[in-house]
Amino acid sequence: MDRLNGSANLMIVSDLDYTMVDHDDPENLALLRFNALWEAYYRHNSLLVFSTGRSPTIYRELRNQKPLLTPDITIMSVGTEITYGESMVPDDEWKEYLDCKWNRDIVMEETAKFPELISQSETEQRPHKVSFYLEKEKASKIMQALSKCLEKRGLDVKIIYSNGIALDILPQGAGKGRALAFLLEKLKADGLRPLNTLVCGDSGNDAELFGVPEVYGVMVSNAQEELVEWYAENSRDNARISHATERCADGIIQAIGNFSLGPNVSPRDIRDSMLNTKNLSPSHEVVMFYLFYERWMRGDIENSEQYIQNLKSIFHSTGNFVHPSGVDRPMQQIIDTLPKLFGEKQSLDFRVWVDHVSYAEVSLGSWLVKFDKWELSGNKLRCCLTKVLMNSKVLLEHQLALLIHVQY
C-alpha cells in the first residue's frame, strides 16, 4: 500500500470461491476479464482485497491453480487472519484483538460432545477458527445447543454456517465483516480510507460484509440460498446492495458499472485494441499489448500486415528486447518473426495476463513500468518479472516508444 499517496479511489473486497473464481469456468474467462480491467485501470490507485474462508495453506493452493492477481490485502480463515502485500505480513493488532474471551481448548472440549460435528482437515484449524462439517438438516439445532454450551463456559463466540455444509466457530469479534471494519478504521487512521468500497460475495459467511456501513455490495448471480435469504430479510431496500445478473467475476464487473465506481469495460472485451489505442496510461498500454500477443498466438484475430506495421510504429526503432538469458535483440527484429508465429498456440489452452503493474515517471513523458507477466500454455505455467521503459511522443497522432527489458 506504500504506492498510494492518499485514499484509494476504490477498494474491492471479494470472496474467492464462486465469487471471484468460477470453478465451473474451466477457461477462467470471467476472472481473466476482471484481471485485465483491474491492471489496466485500477491497480495504480486502488486496493484489491481477497476475503476468503480458506486458510493460508489452501489459499496458496488456489493461487497455484487459478490466474488470481496478487491482492494488496488478504483476509483469510473467515476473517480471523489479516495479512498485507505479496509476502503476506500478518496484522498482529488483529490477532491481539481476537484473543479477548477466546479459548480454543474449551471450544475443542465442548465440540467433542457433538458427534454430528465432523472435523475439517488440519489445515483448516487455525488459532482463532475451529471448523467442522455438519449436515444441513441438523445445523440449526446443533448450533443453538453448542452456542449455549460455550456461553456457559464463559466464551463469547460466533458460529457461522455456510455452503450448506461448513460450520466455523470464531471469536465474537471475528468474521469477514468485523475484519473489514477493522481494516477500514486502520486505513482511516492513516489517512487512506478508500473513497468507495465494493464488497462481493456468494455465501452465508459473506453476509457480514454487506452490513459494514457505507459500502457498496454485490451478490453474484450464482449466490447461494442462504445469502439470498439474508438479502431478502435485511437489505432488499438498500440501494447500495445489488444482486447481479452475471456470475462470479462478471458480476463484480457489472456492479462496478451499476454503481458508477469507475471503468467497467474490460480490455478483453475490446477487439482490435492495437489498431485503436487511445489511452496513454502505461498500465493500459501494457495490458493491451499482451492481449494482442495472446490473440495473435491463438489465432483469434485476423492475420493482418496492418497489425505488424502498427507494432513497428509503436515500438521505438532502437528499442531492444533483453531475454532473461542475457541475449539482446532489436525489438523490430522480434516483430518481424511474428507472422511465422501466428496461430502457433491455436490447439493449446494459451493465455497471457499481467499482475502487479506499477509505474513511475522517471522524466517528463517517460515511465518505467514493472509487472509480472504470466503465460499459460497447455499445462505449463511460467512467470517473469518484466520491465518496460515507455515514452510518449506528441506527433500527428500519439505514439509510444518502448524499450523492453525482461528478467526472471
Side-chain angles (χ1 to χ4, degrees):
M1 294 190 295
D2 293 341
R3 59 189 167 75
L4 295 179
N5 296 321
S7 297
N9 280 2
L10 174 64
M11 182 165 79
I12 286 186
V13 183
S14 178
D15 174 52
L16 290 177
D17 296 289
Y18 288 103
T19 301
M20 183 63 74
V21 177
D22 188 347
H23 294 284
D24 295 331
D25 176 11
E27 294 188 72
N28 302 301
L29 296 181
L31 180 56
L32 289 168
R33 271 196 290 271
F34 175 85
N35 291 357
L37 179 72
W38 188 261
E39 295 297 334
Y41 302 119
Y42 293 98
R43 173 70 80 173
H44 66 290
N45 65 5
S46 297
L47 291 173
L48 180 61
V49 181
F50 290 155
S51 182
T52 177
R54 287 178 176 250
S55 67
T57 298
I58 61 173
Y59 164 67
R60 291 188 182 97
E61 289 176 1
L62 184 66
R63 290 206 63 187
N64 289 331
Q65 297 164 0
K66 296 290 183 178
L68 282 166
L69 296 179
T70 302
D72 299 288
I73 304 167
T74 313
I75 300 172
M76 294 169 289
S77 305
V78 198
T80 61
E81 300 179 64
I82 301 175
T83 65
Y84 301 92
E86 189 171 6
S87 55
M88 297 176 67
V89 178
D91 190 316
D92 292 331
E93 289 180 39
W94 182 239
K95 288 182 182 178
E96 293 174 7
Y97 171 76
L98 293 183
D99 282 335
C100 182
K101 290 190 176 181
W102 172 256
N103 187 311
R104 198 175 188 284
D105 292 337
I106 292 178
V107 173
M108 295 303 295
E109 289 175 18
E110 292 301 319
T111 52
K113 300 174 182 178
F114 293 84
E116 298 89 347
L117 296 174
I118 307 300
S119 182
Q120 293 186 25
S121 66
E122 191 61 33
T123 63
E124 298 314 288
Q125 311 304 332
R126 305 297 296 169
H128 295 99
K129 180 174 81 78
V130 183
S131 298
F132 300 92
Y133 294 117
L134 177 63
E135 293 178 11
K136 186 175 182 180
E137 295 75 18
K138 302 175 182 178
S140 180
K141 182 179 178 180
I142 297 297
M143 288 170 67
Q144 290 178 19
L146 180 58
S147 180
K148 290 179 181 178
C149 290
L150 293 172
E151 186 177 349
K152 287 180 181 179
R153 295 293 302 270
L155 299 190
D156 191 11
V157 303
K158 178 180 295 182
I159 301 176
I160 298 177
Y161 190 69
S162 58
N163 301 313
I165 188 65
L167 183 140
D168 298 305
I169 304 171
L170 323 170
Q172 183 60 240
K176 289 186 176 185
R178 296 296 291 270
L180 174 57
F182 173 88
L183 181 60
L184 286 170
E185 283 300 314
K186 193 165 189 173
L187 290 170
K188 182 180 179 181
D190 293 335
L192 297 173
R193 187 180 176 95
L195 301 181
N196 290 297
T197 298
L198 173 65
V199 302
C200 320
D202 77 301
S203 70
N205 67 18
D206 299 317
E208 281 191 11
L209 290 172
F210 298 96
V212 175
E214 300 180 5
V215 303
Y216 291 96
V218 59
M219 300 186 308
V220 291
S221 69
N222 52 290
Q224 296 184 24
E225 180 182 351
E226 65 218 26
L227 185 59
V228 175
E229 290 177 353
W230 176 91
Y231 170 72
E233 294 172 5
N234 299 278
S235 293
R236 183 170 293 280
D237 296 327
N238 186 347
R240 296 173 74 98
I241 308 297
S242 70
H243 192 175
T245 58
E246 300 287 346
R247 289 178 58 86
C248 299
D250 280 338
I252 298 174
I253 295 173
Q254 182 184 37
I256 292 173
N258 288 347
F259 292 127
S260 301
L261 300 177
N264 70 316
V265 177
S266 172
R268 282 190 171 269
D269 294 324
I270 300 173
R271 305 304 299 178
D272 292 332
S273 56
M274 292 299 292
L275 299 180
N276 299 289
T277 305
K278 294 181 179 180
N279 190 318
L280 285 179
S281 161
S283 53
H284 180 273
E285 296 302 324
V286 164
V287 169
M288 286 303 200
F289 170 73
Y290 282 105
L291 276 176
F292 162 77
Y293 171 66
E294 175 194 292
R295 290 164 176 170
W296 183 266
M297 298 297 287
R298 287 172 56 91
D300 287 346
I301 55 177
E302 183 183 355
N303 186 353
S304 170
E305 176 64 21
Q306 189 176 1
Y307 285 115
I308 302 302
Q309 294 306 315
N310 190 58
L311 278 178
K312 288 184 175 182
S313 70
I314 290 174
F315 282 86
H316 197 282
S317 60
T318 62
N320 287 350
F321 176 90
V322 184
H323 191 270
S325 64
V327 176
D328 190 336
R329 294 178 63 190
M331 198 65 211
Q332 298 291 325
Q333 188 180 104
I334 297 290
I335 294 172
D336 286 336
T337 66
L338 283 178
K340 297 178 182 179
L341 300 176
F342 180 81
E344 186 180 78
K345 304 289 187 178
Q346 197 166 24
S347 61
L348 297 173
D349 181 15
F350 181 75
R351 297 292 177 185
V352 181
W353 65 96
V354 296
D355 181 22
H356 230 229
V357 177
S358 64
Y359 58 87
E361 192 166 13
V362 293
S363 61
L364 186 61
S366 181
W367 300 270
L368 180 62
V369 190
K370 299 179 183 180
F371 53 92
D372 291 327
K373 187 207 77 172
W374 288 88
E375 192 171 298
L376 174 68
S377 184
N379 59 2
K380 294 180 180 179
L381 180 65
R382 65 175 184 171
C383 174
C384 63
L385 171 64
T386 306
K387 299 177 183 178
V388 179
L389 181 61
M390 182 178 292
N391 303 299
S392 64
K393 294 181 178 180
V394 180
L395 301 174
L396 292 177
E397 297 181 68
H398 71 269
Q399 183 183 41
L400 293 180
L402 305 181
L403 174 61
I404 294 183
H405 173 79
V406 183
Q407 65 183 53
Y408 282 114

